[in-house]
Amino acid sequence: MSNYTQKNKECIERWITQYGLAWARPITHEEYVAAQQGEYAMKLTPVRTIPKAWIGDVRGKSVLGLAAGGGQQMPLLTACGARCTVLDISEVQLAAERAVAQREGYDITVIAGDMTAPLPFSDGTFDMIVHPVSNHYVQKVEPIFRECFRVLKPGGVLLCGLDTGIYWAFDLENEGSLKNILPFDPLTNAQQRAYCEEQDMGLQFSHTLEEQLGGQLRAGFVLIDLYEDTNGAGAFHEHNVPTFIATRAQKPL
């Protein structure tokens, strides 16, 4: 684990403990039972839900939740018949996965790991990877897409929630005010690092569509579909400015 990802882990776990986070609220028993009947709503980004066609029939399929701890996506996919593995840097998020699995009586493989490191899986292990928005916590995203490509089977699907990067140009306390020159990278920009520390936001990073979409394409994926989303609150949301994108990509057969 790198120094900055360790710092982000500690920051995220502090947020969960002190303030609660939407991404850290496990699904309820009622939601799990409904998913067993095919009724579920799954998110990769703050507001919009994934089209069910993006998921399809996952019965008997092997699914990796990448940075997807918290007891949200993986329980729903398990209820739909998938065999799930979750890898997350946060022990608090992984504890939520274990708690839901114990409550509902299913098995899940839970791994504490840093997605900036090589994934601890053999080539062609998974049929699907579900990767909710989290790439803004890492400096380089393209290695992650290459690892996803490697561990997917031919024909496997990658579902991603991605930060578009525009948000980081603005002042977090006054979203109508431009403040930061992009890219936002507190590891190379001392002023931006100080800003992160002042805002108690860990170390977060902007990424371009060239990195996020082009990175998937350069890894070998075929982009199948996408949609945009807002951050769910604040001036950007109120003005319907998309700050996130969700993508469905496939590893060729």
Side-chain angles (χ1 to χ4, degrees):
M1 191 181 300
S2 70
N3 288 336
Y4 85 88
T5 56
Q6 172 65 30
K7 183 179 179 68
N8 283 342
K9 171 185 181 293
E10 294 168 357
C11 186
I12 290 167
E13 292 186 342
R14 184 172 68 254
W15 294 342
I16 293 170
T17 302
Q18 294 182 356
Y19 311 118
L21 291 175
W23 295 106
R25 296 173 193 151
I27 66 167
T28 65
H29 171 68
E30 291 73 21
E31 288 172 318
Y32 182 82
V33 171
Q36 290 180 309
Q37 308 302 317
E39 296 299 322
Y40 61 88
M42 188 185 306
K43 293 179 180 179
L44 296 173
T45 55
V47 180
R48 297 182 62 180
T49 57
I50 307 170
K52 287 187 177 180
W54 278 27
I55 298 170
D57 185 358
V58 295
R59 287 176 293 182
K61 292 187 176 180
S62 181
V63 176
L64 171 63
L66 182 60
Q72 298 182 350
Q73 295 88 6
M74 295 303 100
L76 294 176
L77 291 170
T78 300
C80 292
R83 294 177 289 107
C84 292
T85 297
V86 61
L87 184 149
D88 200 286
I89 199 170
S90 168
E91 294 288 355
V92 175
Q93 291 287 73
L94 294 177
E97 291 289 342
R98 295 187 186 96
V100 176
Q102 182 176 16
R103 184 188 74 199
E104 305 301 343
Y106 63 79
D107 294 325
I108 183 171
T109 301
V110 176
I111 299 173
D114 184 344
M115 66 179 172
T116 65
L119 297 177
F121 310 110
S122 300
D123 296 358
T125 298
F126 298 101
D127 297 290
M128 178 180 288
I129 297 174
V130 176
H131 182 41
V133 60
S134 54
N135 277 2
H136 56 291
Y137 291 110
V138 302
Q139 186 185 35
K140 303 292 183 183
V141 297
E142 294 199 33
I144 296 171
F145 297 135
R146 291 195 295 269
E147 278 294 280
C148 287
F149 189 87
R150 179 183 67 79
V151 303
L152 276 172
K153 299 175 183 178
V157 172
L158 172 64
L159 306 181
C160 289
L162 307 167
D163 187 317
T164 64
I166 188 173
Y167 185 74
W168 302 103
F170 291 80
D171 188 338
L172 292 179
E173 295 180 338
N174 178 12
E175 292 181 350
S177 173
L178 282 167
K179 180 179 180 69
N180 300 301
I181 296 173
L182 298 181
F184 190 91
D185 184 344
L187 293 185
T188 61
N189 186 308
Q191 184 177 359
Q192 292 174 355
R193 187 183 185 100
Y195 181 68
C196 285
E197 293 171 351
E198 175 186 312
Q199 296 293 325
D200 186 30
M201 55 188 279
L203 296 178
Q204 301 190 38
F205 305 83
S206 70
H207 297 294
T208 63
L209 294 182
E210 181 177 344
E211 292 174 272
Q212 302 273 38
L213 302 185
Q216 292 184 56
L217 297 175
R218 286 186 288 274
F221 286 103
V222 176
L223 186 62
I224 304 298
D225 200 2
L226 59 83
Y227 62 84
E228 294 176 303
D229 199 5
T230 71
N231 58 359
F236 281 93
H237 175 70
E238 292 165 4
H239 288 81
N240 201 33
V241 177
T243 52
F244 293 94
I245 187 169
T247 59
R248 184 179 191 271
Q250 188 170 29
K251 180 175 180 175
L253 292 167

